[in-house]
Amino acid sequence: MFVRRLGFIGIIFIATCFLVNSFVYAETWKPYQFQKGEMYEFRIVLGTEDSEETEEGDKKETTYILETKSVSQKEGFIEIIFTTKSIVKEEDLSYEKVFGFGEMIGAPLSMLIVNPMYSYIFEQVELEVGEKVKLLGIGTVKVIGKESVGGREGFVCQFYQSEGKEEKLLTEWVIDPALALPLRVKNFEDGELRSLFELLSYRKD
Protein backbone atom coordinates (compact mmCIF):
# COMPACT_ATOMS: atom_id res chain seq x y z
CA MET A 1 0.00 0.00 0.00
CA PHE A 2 2.83 2.36 0.95
CA VAL A 3 4.68 1.60 -2.28
CA ARG A 4 1.53 2.26 -4.30
CA ARG A 5 1.06 5.59 -2.48
CA LEU A 6 4.67 6.54 -3.19
CA GLY A 7 4.12 5.67 -6.83
CA PHE A 8 1.00 7.83 -6.95
CA ILE A 9 2.79 10.72 -5.21
CA GLY A 10 5.67 10.33 -7.68
CA ILE A 11 3.29 10.62 -10.62
CA ILE A 12 1.68 13.73 -9.11
CA PHE A 13 5.14 15.23 -8.48
CA ILE A 14 6.29 14.62 -12.07
CA ALA A 15 3.06 16.03 -13.46
CA THR A 16 3.38 19.09 -11.24
CA CYS A 17 6.98 19.65 -12.32
CA PHE A 18 5.94 19.37 -15.96
CA LEU A 19 3.19 21.94 -15.51
CA VAL A 20 5.47 24.31 -13.59
CA ASN A 21 8.21 24.01 -16.20
CA SER A 22 5.70 24.60 -19.00
CA PHE A 23 4.52 27.72 -17.23
CA VAL A 24 8.04 28.97 -16.55
CA TYR A 25 9.41 28.41 -20.04
CA ALA A 26 6.41 29.60 -22.03
CA GLU A 27 7.32 33.23 -22.67
CA THR A 28 6.54 36.05 -25.01
CA TRP A 29 8.99 38.07 -27.11
CA LYS A 30 9.54 41.78 -27.59
CA PRO A 31 11.61 42.64 -30.68
CA TYR A 32 14.46 45.14 -30.89
CA GLN A 33 15.62 44.82 -27.25
CA PHE A 34 19.32 45.11 -28.07
CA GLN A 35 22.19 44.71 -25.62
CA LYS A 36 25.76 45.97 -25.70
CA GLY A 37 28.45 43.65 -26.95
CA GLU A 38 26.35 41.92 -29.60
CA MET A 39 27.24 41.04 -33.18
CA TYR A 40 24.67 39.78 -35.68
CA GLU A 41 25.45 38.68 -39.23
CA PHE A 42 22.54 38.07 -41.60
CA ARG A 43 22.03 37.32 -45.25
CA ILE A 44 19.15 39.01 -47.05
CA VAL A 45 17.67 37.75 -50.31
CA LEU A 46 15.09 39.81 -52.18
CA GLY A 47 12.51 39.33 -54.90
CA THR A 48 12.78 35.62 -55.47
CA GLU A 49 10.75 32.55 -54.59
CA ASP A 50 13.95 30.50 -54.46
CA SER A 51 16.15 31.82 -51.67
CA GLU A 52 19.21 30.03 -53.00
CA GLU A 53 19.31 30.98 -56.68
CA THR A 54 18.11 33.78 -58.91
CA GLU A 55 18.96 34.66 -62.48
CA GLU A 56 22.65 34.32 -63.13
CA GLY A 57 24.45 37.58 -62.42
CA ASP A 58 21.36 39.12 -60.86
CA LYS A 59 21.32 37.56 -57.41
CA LYS A 60 19.78 40.11 -55.04
CA GLU A 61 21.65 38.96 -51.95
CA THR A 62 23.15 41.19 -49.29
CA THR A 63 25.12 40.51 -46.12
CA TYR A 64 24.09 42.68 -43.19
CA ILE A 65 26.24 42.96 -40.04
CA LEU A 66 25.18 44.78 -36.87
CA GLU A 67 27.42 45.38 -33.86
CA THR A 68 26.79 47.14 -30.54
CA LYS A 69 29.96 48.02 -28.62
CA SER A 70 30.80 49.77 -25.39
CA VAL A 71 32.58 53.10 -25.82
CA SER A 72 35.85 53.37 -23.92
CA GLN A 73 35.98 56.29 -21.47
CA LYS A 74 32.28 57.05 -22.11
CA GLU A 75 30.26 55.09 -19.64
CA GLY A 76 26.62 54.65 -20.59
CA PHE A 77 27.25 55.12 -24.33
CA ILE A 78 27.05 52.47 -27.06
CA GLU A 79 28.74 52.48 -30.45
CA ILE A 80 26.51 51.05 -33.20
CA ILE A 81 28.22 49.70 -36.31
CA PHE A 82 26.24 48.37 -39.26
CA THR A 83 27.70 47.08 -42.50
CA THR A 84 26.05 45.95 -45.71
CA LYS A 85 27.93 43.97 -48.32
CA SER A 86 26.72 42.99 -51.77
CA ILE A 87 28.12 42.17 -55.20
CA VAL A 88 26.70 43.97 -58.25
CA LYS A 89 27.56 44.31 -61.93
CA GLU A 90 29.80 47.27 -62.72
CA GLU A 91 27.12 48.89 -64.91
CA ASP A 92 24.63 48.62 -62.01
CA LEU A 93 26.77 50.72 -59.65
CA SER A 94 24.02 53.23 -58.81
CA TYR A 95 23.22 55.34 -55.76
CA GLU A 96 20.64 52.76 -54.65
CA LYS A 97 23.41 50.17 -54.35
CA VAL A 98 26.03 52.52 -52.91
CA PHE A 99 23.93 54.15 -50.19
CA GLY A 100 22.77 50.92 -48.66
CA PHE A 101 19.92 48.58 -48.18
CA GLY A 102 17.15 51.10 -47.49
CA GLU A 103 17.73 52.77 -50.85
CA MET A 104 17.61 49.41 -52.63
CA ILE A 105 14.18 48.40 -51.33
CA GLY A 106 12.69 51.86 -50.79
CA ALA A 107 11.83 51.09 -47.17
CA PRO A 108 13.59 50.66 -43.81
CA LEU A 109 15.13 47.25 -43.19
CA SER A 110 12.96 46.93 -40.07
CA MET A 111 9.90 46.60 -42.33
CA LEU A 112 11.31 43.32 -43.66
CA ILE A 113 12.15 41.98 -40.20
CA VAL A 114 9.20 42.87 -37.97
CA ASN A 115 6.77 45.45 -39.30
CA PRO A 116 6.25 47.90 -36.39
CA MET A 117 2.48 47.60 -37.03
CA TYR A 118 2.70 43.94 -36.03
CA SER A 119 5.43 44.02 -33.35
CA TYR A 120 2.85 44.02 -30.55
CA ILE A 121 1.60 40.63 -31.76
CA PHE A 122 4.42 38.83 -29.97
CA GLU A 123 3.39 40.23 -26.62
CA GLN A 124 0.15 38.23 -27.03
CA VAL A 125 1.72 34.95 -28.17
CA GLU A 126 3.31 32.48 -25.77
CA LEU A 127 6.29 30.85 -27.46
CA GLU A 128 5.26 27.25 -27.04
CA VAL A 129 4.89 24.69 -29.80
CA GLY A 130 1.21 24.25 -30.61
CA GLU A 131 0.23 27.75 -29.48
CA LYS A 132 -2.34 29.43 -31.72
CA VAL A 133 -3.63 32.98 -31.23
CA LYS A 134 -6.39 34.54 -33.32
CA LEU A 135 -6.17 38.33 -33.52
CA LEU A 136 -9.58 39.80 -34.25
CA GLY A 137 -9.70 41.46 -37.66
CA ILE A 138 -5.97 40.91 -38.27
CA GLY A 139 -5.21 37.23 -38.58
CA THR A 140 -3.78 34.21 -36.78
CA VAL A 141 -0.36 33.41 -35.33
CA LYS A 142 0.67 29.75 -35.02
CA VAL A 143 3.76 28.36 -33.29
CA ILE A 144 4.35 25.25 -35.38
CA GLY A 145 7.72 23.94 -34.15
CA LYS A 146 11.36 24.69 -33.36
CA GLU A 147 14.31 25.07 -35.69
CA SER A 148 18.03 25.85 -35.53
CA VAL A 149 19.31 28.79 -37.60
CA GLY A 150 22.80 30.28 -37.44
CA GLY A 151 23.75 28.17 -34.44
CA ARG A 152 20.71 29.26 -32.35
CA GLU A 153 17.42 27.50 -31.72
CA GLY A 154 14.11 29.29 -32.04
CA PHE A 155 10.36 28.87 -32.33
CA VAL A 156 8.84 28.81 -35.82
CA CYS A 157 5.94 31.30 -35.83
CA GLN A 158 3.65 31.78 -38.83
CA PHE A 159 1.40 34.78 -39.29
CA TYR A 160 -1.69 34.32 -41.46
CA GLN A 161 -3.35 37.60 -42.46
CA SER A 162 -7.13 37.78 -42.76
CA GLU A 163 -8.40 38.54 -46.27
CA GLY A 164 -12.17 38.34 -46.24
CA LYS A 165 -13.12 34.82 -45.24
CA GLU A 166 -9.65 33.46 -46.00
CA GLU A 167 -6.29 33.65 -44.27
CA LYS A 168 -3.05 33.79 -46.27
CA LEU A 169 0.47 33.16 -45.00
CA LEU A 170 2.14 36.57 -44.83
CA THR A 171 5.26 36.04 -42.71
CA GLU A 172 7.18 33.27 -40.98
CA TRP A 173 9.61 34.09 -38.17
CA VAL A 174 12.03 31.87 -36.27
CA ILE A 175 12.35 33.47 -32.84
CA ASP A 176 14.87 32.99 -30.06
CA PRO A 177 13.29 35.01 -27.22
CA ALA A 178 16.75 35.84 -25.84
CA LEU A 179 17.68 37.87 -28.95
CA ALA A 180 16.50 41.23 -30.25
CA LEU A 181 16.10 40.06 -33.85
CA PRO A 182 14.51 36.93 -35.36
CA LEU A 183 16.82 34.16 -36.47
CA ARG A 184 15.01 34.06 -39.80
CA VAL A 185 12.19 35.92 -41.51
CA LYS A 186 10.36 34.81 -44.65
CA ASN A 187 7.91 37.25 -46.24
CA PHE A 188 5.32 35.89 -48.68
CA GLU A 189 3.02 37.34 -51.31
CA ASP A 190 0.30 35.22 -52.90
CA GLY A 191 1.98 32.09 -51.57
CA GLU A 192 5.41 32.93 -53.01
CA LEU A 193 8.53 33.78 -51.04
CA ARG A 194 9.43 37.43 -51.66
CA SER A 195 12.22 38.07 -49.15
CA LEU A 196 14.45 36.15 -46.78
CA PHE A 197 16.32 37.51 -43.74
CA GLU A 198 18.48 34.77 -42.18
CA LEU A 199 21.01 34.69 -39.35
CA LEU A 200 24.46 33.43 -40.29
CA SER A 201 26.12 33.96 -36.92
CA TYR A 202 25.65 35.62 -33.54
CA ARG A 203 28.18 36.57 -30.86
CA LYS A 204 27.93 38.31 -27.52
CA ASP A 205 31.00 39.56 -25.63
Side-chain angles (χ1 to χ4, degrees), residues 8-72:
F8 178 76
I9 292 170
I11 292 170
I12 295 297
F13 176 76
I14 292 170
T16 302
C17 288
F18 176 79
L19 289 172
V20 169
N21 284 337
S22 296
F23 177 77
V24 170
Y25 288 108
E27 55 187 316
T28 58
W29 177 65
K30 191 173 182 179
Y32 305 131
Q33 303 300 297
F34 295 100
Q35 305 173 58
K36 67 179 178 182
E38 292 184 298
M39 193 282 286
Y40 296 84
E41 181 177 4
F42 289 92
R43 77 178 185 118
I44 304 167
V45 184
L46 296 177
T48 174
E49 185 176 3
D50 186 344
S51 62
E52 297 298 330
E53 299 292 338
T54 61
E55 294 179 21
E56 187 176 354
D58 190 33
K59 190 168 184 177
K60 298 177 181 179
E61 182 165 331
T62 300
T63 301
Y64 178 77
I65 301 170
L66 171 66
E67 298 178 77
T68 57
K69 294 184 175 182
S70 299
V71 180
S72 59

Side-chain angles (χ1 to χ4, degrees), residues 42-43 51 112-113 144 147-150 155-158 171-176 181-187 195-199:
F42 289 92
R43 77 178 185 118
S51 62
L112 279 185
I113 304 170
I144 64 168
E147 193 172 331
S148 293
V149 181
F155 294 88
V156 182
C157 303
Q158 293 183 333
T171 307
E172 179 184 277
W173 299 275
V174 178
I175 295 170
D176 177 348
L181 296 173
L183 307 183
R184 189 182 67 216
V185 183
K186 291 181 177 180
N187 291 301
S195 66
L196 172 71
F197 180 84
E198 184 175 54
L199 182 71

